[in-house]
């Protein structure tokens, strides 16, 4: 049985805002990436997983328990990192962490000390005086404070510098190895690609694709760029019935997108020409993602 379930979730705020018939599953020890821009429906889904909002249709379930019905119990168990951080004024980070420990009934500080060292956080600063990055690190430490088995992370590295983003990704990978179950919402391609076992792309409140990134890398189309020494050869080459994504007459260059089955014939064709440069471009999660955000894209098989 899946640890985290989103079952045909619908919450319609009107004017096309909300989520519509969204379904997802996260198994034990898996990191599931929820990828989309701001306003796509990521945080709405997470608010339902945390029991902050009641669905109009469908439901969300964690460990077999309905998130709305058992919200208080699940909120105590889950490690939750919100996308937008609101911290109380008038106290230091140390006082805030002490309050969180007391609320969770924690007495052992050894894990907290590890987290503070790992994320290079000095909490002896007033919350009002903290930078955005420091507040984000404090929120990260607070989410992991009780060493939860289930993590729900909404835009977790937003506000962190690149070095700290890498530290966070490494930490998520370690937590996954420890058997943690992770639902990670983000618009940052590298973060999702580096840490997630499966990824769902959400657009306008609907999931438009769900895939294993490793399988996608193996099976995705290949993109090549070829540059020619002579204009006549460039013209002859672009007359072939390939899928050209761009052609540049000034640089005598062409970019071709090919399915795996087309590669042998393409290589046979290209061997007949005198070329200056031949480049294969690696798989890009961003390229795949942007296919679903072209204005005129028709979504087939939308869930």
């Amino acid at each position: 049985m899946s640890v985290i379930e989103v079952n045909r979730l619908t919450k319609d705020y009107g004017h096309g805002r909300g989520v519509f018939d969204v379904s997802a599953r996260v198994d034990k020890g898996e990191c599931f990436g929820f990828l989309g821009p701001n306003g796509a429906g990521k945080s709405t889904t997470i608010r339902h997983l945390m029991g902050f909002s009641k669905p109009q249709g469908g439901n969300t379930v964690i460990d077999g328990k309905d998130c709305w019905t058992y919200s208080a119990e699940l909120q105590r168990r889950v490690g939750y990192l919100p996308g937008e951080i609101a911290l109380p004024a008038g106290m230091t980070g140390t006082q805030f962490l002490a309050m969180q420990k007391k609320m969770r009934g924690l007495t052992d500080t050894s894990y907290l000390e590890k987290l503070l060292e790992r994320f290079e956080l000095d909490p002896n600063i007033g919350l009002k005086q903290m930078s955005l990055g420091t507040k984000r690190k404090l929120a990260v430490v607070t989410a992991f404070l009780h060493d939860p088995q289930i993590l729900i992370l909404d835009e977790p590295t937003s506000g962190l510098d690149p070095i700290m983003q890498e530290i966070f990704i490494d930490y998520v990978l370690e937590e996954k190895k420890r058997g943690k179950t992770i639902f990670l919402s983000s618009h940052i391609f590298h973060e999702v690609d580096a840490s997630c076992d499966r990824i769902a792309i959400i657009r306008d409140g609907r999931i438009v694709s769900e895939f294993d990134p490793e399988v996608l890398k193996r099976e995705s189309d290949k993109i090549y760029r070829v540059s020619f020494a002579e204009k006549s050869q460039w013209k002859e080459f672009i007359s072939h019935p390939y899928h050209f994504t761009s052609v540049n007459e000034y640089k005598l260059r062409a970019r071709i997108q090919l399915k795996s089955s087309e590669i042998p014939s393409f290589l046979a064709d290209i061997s007949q020409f005198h070329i200056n440069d031949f480049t294969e471009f690696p798989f890009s999660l961003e390229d795949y993602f942007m296919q679903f955000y072209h204005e005129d894209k028709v979504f087939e098989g939308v869930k």
Side-chain angles (χ1 to χ4, degrees):
M1 185 177 70
S2 299
V3 175
I4 299 173
E5 301 177 29
V6 181
N7 301 308
R8 307 198 69 176
L9 175 66
T10 294
K11 185 75 167 189
D12 188 352
Y13 294 111
H15 305 288
R17 297 177 301 112
V19 291
F20 309 94
D21 204 29
V22 168
S23 294
R25 304 281 188 278
V26 191
D27 294 330
K28 180 175 173 57
E30 183 178 38
C31 184
F32 182 84
F34 209 42
L35 180 63
N38 295 334
K42 304 189 304 297
S43 294
T44 297
T45 303
I46 284 179
R47 282 195 291 271
H48 285 81
L49 281 170
M50 291 304 300
F52 300 150
S53 185
K54 186 176 182 179
Q56 289 173 316
N59 68 344
T60 53
V61 177
I62 294 178
D63 261 353
K65 295 187 175 183
D66 181 86
C67 295
W68 175 256
T69 305
Y70 295 93
S71 59
E73 175 187 339
L74 293 172
Q75 287 167 18
R76 286 193 296 269
R77 294 175 50 202
V78 169
Y80 170 54
L81 180 59
E84 296 184 5
I85 302 169
L87 297 171
M91 64 172 61
T92 65
T94 301
Q95 291 170 330
F96 177 75
L97 289 171
M99 179 182 71
Q100 293 295 317
K101 283 167 52 187
K102 185 176 181 180
M103 290 173 62
R104 294 195 176 278
L106 301 175
T107 55
D108 186 356
T109 62
S110 58
Y111 194 64
L112 170 60
E113 294 301 324
K114 289 180 182 178
L115 290 171
L116 293 175
E117 181 178 358
R118 183 66 176 271
F119 292 103
E120 302 174 8
L121 174 63
D122 177 7
N124 297 310
I125 307 172
L127 297 179
K128 195 172 183 179
Q129 285 73 46
M130 284 184 176
S131 67
L132 176 60
T134 303
K135 288 179 180 178
R136 175 56 65 173
K137 289 195 287 185
L138 179 62
V140 168
V141 169
T142 302
F144 297 152
L145 182 64
H146 54 303
D147 198 13
Q149 292 300 305
I150 301 169
L151 297 166
I152 296 179
L153 312 174
D154 191 4
E155 301 286 357
T157 64
S158 176
L160 297 180
D161 62 50
I163 294 175
M164 193 54 59
Q165 287 180 7
E166 291 301 319
I167 290 173
F168 178 87
I169 289 170
D170 288 343
Y171 185 80
V172 167
L173 293 174
E174 291 173 14
E175 292 295 273
K176 189 168 65 170
K177 287 181 180 177
R178 293 178 64 204
K180 302 292 182 74
T181 303
I182 305 166
F183 188 102
L184 189 155
S185 158
S186 181
H187 67 274
I188 301 174
F189 299 110
H190 171 64
E191 177 179 41
V192 173
D193 196 22
S195 57
C196 296
D197 303 293
R198 283 187 302 116
I199 300 170
I201 294 175
I202 185 169
R203 169 180 163 155
D204 297 333
R206 292 178 171 85
I207 292 180
V208 296
S209 181
E210 184 178 323
F211 55 93
D212 179 329
E214 293 303 317
V215 172
L216 185 63
K217 288 173 187 177
R218 291 196 302 269
E219 298 181 354
S220 62
D221 292 353
K222 306 299 180 183
I223 298 176
Y224 300 95
R225 188 183 67 198
V226 187
S227 300
F228 294 83
E230 300 174 10
K231 188 170 184 178
S232 60
Q233 295 219 334
W234 173 81
K235 281 188 173 181
E236 182 180 348
F237 177 73
I238 64 172
S239 69
H240 284 69
Y242 292 120
H243 177 202
F244 291 95
T245 59
S246 68
V247 290
N248 187 320
E249 183 175 3
Y250 176 73
K251 294 184 177 181
L252 301 181
R253 179 184 293 171
R255 187 179 295 223
I256 311 97
Q257 182 174 334
L258 301 168
K259 298 187 181 302
S260 296
S261 60
E262 297 175 302
I263 292 175
S265 62
F266 164 72
L267 294 176
D269 288 341
I270 204 69
S271 67
Q272 307 301 313
F273 296 93
H274 298 293
I275 60 176
N276 281 345
D277 178 69
F278 181 87
T279 305
E280 178 181 352
F281 289 88
F283 164 83
S284 168
L285 176 59
E286 182 176 358
D287 289 339
Y288 180 74
F289 172 86
M290 290 308 298
Q291 293 178 23
F292 296 95
Y293 275 82
H294 290 158
E295 198 67 30
D296 298 323
K297 176 75 178 180
V298 177
F299 300 114
E300 299 178 358
V302 172
K303 298 182 178 180

